[in-house]
Amino acid sequence: MQSADVDLDHLMIASQAGDAQAHHDLLRQASTHLRAYFRRQLSRYGHGLDAAEDLLQDTLLVIHTRRQAYLPGSPVLAWIYGIARYKLIDFLRARHRSFSHLPIEDAEHVAAQDGYEGIDTARELRKALASLPNNFRLPIEYVKLEGLSIAEAAARTGMSDAAIKVSIHRGMKKLAAILSEARP
Amino acid sequence: MNTDDLIDFLATRVEPVDPHRQDRQALAALLMSFAAATAAVIVALGLRADLMEAMVSAGFAMKIGFLVTLVAIALWGLRKGARAGAADPVPLGLLCVPLVLLWMLGALELARLPLASWRATVLFYEWPVCLLSIPLLSALPLVALTLVVREGAPTHLRYCGALTGLCAGGLGALAYAAYCLNDTPVYVGVWYVAGIAAVTAFGWLMGPRMLRW
């Protein structure tokens, strides 16, 4: 546990410096911790694996878009679990209005919001993808989401292999830009 | 989209980020909103006539020192505490130190005065202006700081809301001090403290709304 945490500290700092591989590793390690955490917590309230996976993705997106908010030197796991708990409480409050309080420490720090609509960041991602023109959206959907090869995607869209690669590359940049703007 | 794809996607473009950007933003928000509040005092109320002499007086130094201490404690608490997962790291009992010192000075002041003049000392004729001006002047610092604090994705919203209010209230009071003639510890200990406490309480109440992200 101790060494994993130290490892995460290094990954987080490298990720802040723009190291894509470290960022990837950080998100993977975080997802292992968080998946277990959300499944355990949600099962107590009768929610299934889908809800846990949605919350996990929400949390990963926050870790990604707010990575500048991590203070170097502070414990990364505490930061990550802080975000996860915040998302979890949001989720439970939105779905269990009758709960006057939650048996989660620090719950009182996140007040109930009347009429609050849960922010589904994974849905925001799908919405951002839908807003792209077809020549960017389709290659991303085929290759990144459906797992087709470049050649298969090229055959399906009638574009050249090179054009598919360029479209994916530029489309991803557009998506990242849309997502960082959409951040509230 | 499954989670592995999401991770691959998020790691396709990783821009370097500056973890100290928030500190600079906080400083800019602080300085600009304070400058605006001071400008509002100059336009709406005017500077105190004896500002030059007051600047070197002990009473004025005590007042400014007290307010700056409050702002500094609030900023320290926010820098540590306005992050996801931060424990309440700053013992807020620390705030009692400047407050108790100020009230002790106030008690000494009252002890030297005859009982008959206590009322006039506390209810210096301008106290309603003071009580109203400090929250009004705090509005802009409160908005500016709230925007910066929210960027940091805090998870202790009441704690951070209260500290944001305290900081804004302190800045509002500092701006008001450019106009206010009364530097006595009794007056500052009652009316300045009341104005700042009101802004702090507002921040505590509204924290979960104004800081949520």
Side-chain angles (χ1 to χ4, degrees):
Chain A
M1 193 64 182
Q2 184 60 34
S3 69
D5 208 9
V6 170
D7 198 25
L8 277 179
D9 289 351
H10 289 307
L11 288 177
M12 186 72 214
I13 286 169
S15 145
Q16 282 187 327
D19 179 339
Q21 185 58 48
H23 192 59
H24 195 272
D25 294 348
L26 172 79
L27 294 178
R28 284 208 85 85
Q29 291 201 24
S31 69
T32 311
H33 284 282
L34 293 175
R35 185 175 285 118
Y37 170 75
F38 283 130
R39 285 184 179 179
R40 193 170 60 240
Q41 295 289 334
L42 286 174
S43 70
R44 292 160 56 189
Y45 302 100
H47 292 282
L49 300 182
D50 284 356
E53 209 65 16
D54 278 355
L55 273 176
L56 166 61
Q57 295 192 5
D58 271 3
T59 308
L60 290 176
L61 275 168
V62 175
I63 293 172
H64 173 77
T65 54
R66 302 280 180 140
R67 61 191 184 278
Q68 97 284 343
Y70 163 76
L71 185 67
S74 59
V76 176
L77 266 184
W79 184 71
I80 288 173
Y81 275 111
I83 295 169
R85 186 184 296 134
Y86 184 91
K87 285 284 170 193
L88 175 72
I89 293 170
D90 248 13
F91 174 89
L92 292 175
R93 291 219 184 247
R95 280 157 189 81
H96 300 268
R97 290 283 164 74
S98 56
F99 280 23
S100 56
H101 62 89
L102 290 167
I104 299 172
E105 55 172 302
D106 293 343
E108 77 274 15
H109 293 297
V110 182
Q113 291 290 301
D114 291 335
Y116 167 67
E117 318 279 53
I119 302 165
D120 181 351
T121 348
R123 193 171 57 209
E124 270 179 23
L125 181 61
R126 287 193 286 274
K127 212 168 70 189
L129 189 59
S131 75
L132 289 183
N134 278 351
N135 57 329
F136 293 114
R137 180 174 60 82
L138 292 176
I140 292 175
E141 284 183 356
Y142 290 154
V143 176
K144 292 290 178 189
L145 304 189
E146 296 181 28
L148 299 186
S149 69
I150 299 283
E152 285 166 338
R156 212 190 269 192
T157 53
M159 296 160 74
S160 71
D161 287 11
I164 291 284
K165 284 184 199 161
V166 171
S167 287
I168 291 175
H169 182 68
R170 291 183 48 200
M172 287 298 211
K173 282 193 171 181
K174 282 175 188 287
L175 269 187
I178 293 173
L179 280 176
S180 54
E181 274 168 22
R183 200 180 72 195
Chain B
M1 178 180 274
N2 78 42
T3 303
D4 288 344
D5 286 337
L6 177 71
I7 292 174
D8 290 344
F9 164 73
L10 292 177
T12 46
R13 203 182 93 167
V14 183
E15 297 278 329
V17 293
D18 179 3
H20 300 293
R21 197 184 63 165
Q22 210 192 349
D23 292 341
R24 285 199 306 275
Q25 284 175 332
L27 190 66
L30 198 111
L31 292 178
M32 288 197 300
S33 62
F34 177 63
T38 309
V41 167
I42 294 172
V43 171
L45 300 169
L47 291 176
R48 61 188 285 180
D50 63 342
L51 187 61
M52 287 305 155
E53 300 108 84
M55 294 251 255
V56 292
S57 74
F60 190 74
M62 176 277 302
K63 181 159 87 174
I64 299 300
F66 171 72
L67 297 173
V68 168
T69 307
L70 292 189
V71 170
I73 292 174
L75 283 176
W76 182 43
L78 281 174
R79 183 164 192 281
K80 297 273 217 169
R83 315 259 174 186
D88 291 6
V90 176
L92 292 186
L94 204 61
L95 287 170
C96 295
V97 176
L99 205 55
V100 167
L101 277 176
L102 181 71
W103 284 344
M104 277 165 54
L105 286 175
L108 286 176
E109 182 191 356
L110 286 179
R112 281 199 308 267
L113 293 170
L115 203 59
S117 65
W118 281 22
R119 186 181 155 80
T121 306
V122 175
L123 293 177
F124 180 72
Y125 72 99
E126 269 207 327
W127 69 265
V129 179
C130 177
L131 195 57
L132 200 63
S133 296
I134 288 176
L136 285 177
L137 292 167
S138 305
L140 201 59
L142 186 69
V143 171
L145 284 167
T146 296
L147 293 176
V148 176
V149 169
R150 194 166 56 189
E151 271 303 290
T155 51
H156 295 41
L157 302 188
R158 285 202 190 277
Y159 172 87
C160 294
L163 284 182
T164 307
L166 175 65
C167 189
L171 290 174
L174 278 169
Y176 180 69
Y179 160 78
C180 176
L181 283 169
N182 198 324
D183 296 331
T184 63
V186 169
Y187 188 75
V188 175
V190 175
W191 301 113
Y192 276 62
V193 167
I196 296 169
V199 185
T200 308
F202 178 83
W204 185 84
L205 278 173
M206 295 302 289
R209 272 160 212 275
M210 62 191 201
L211 291 176
R212 69 170 301 113
W213 42 273

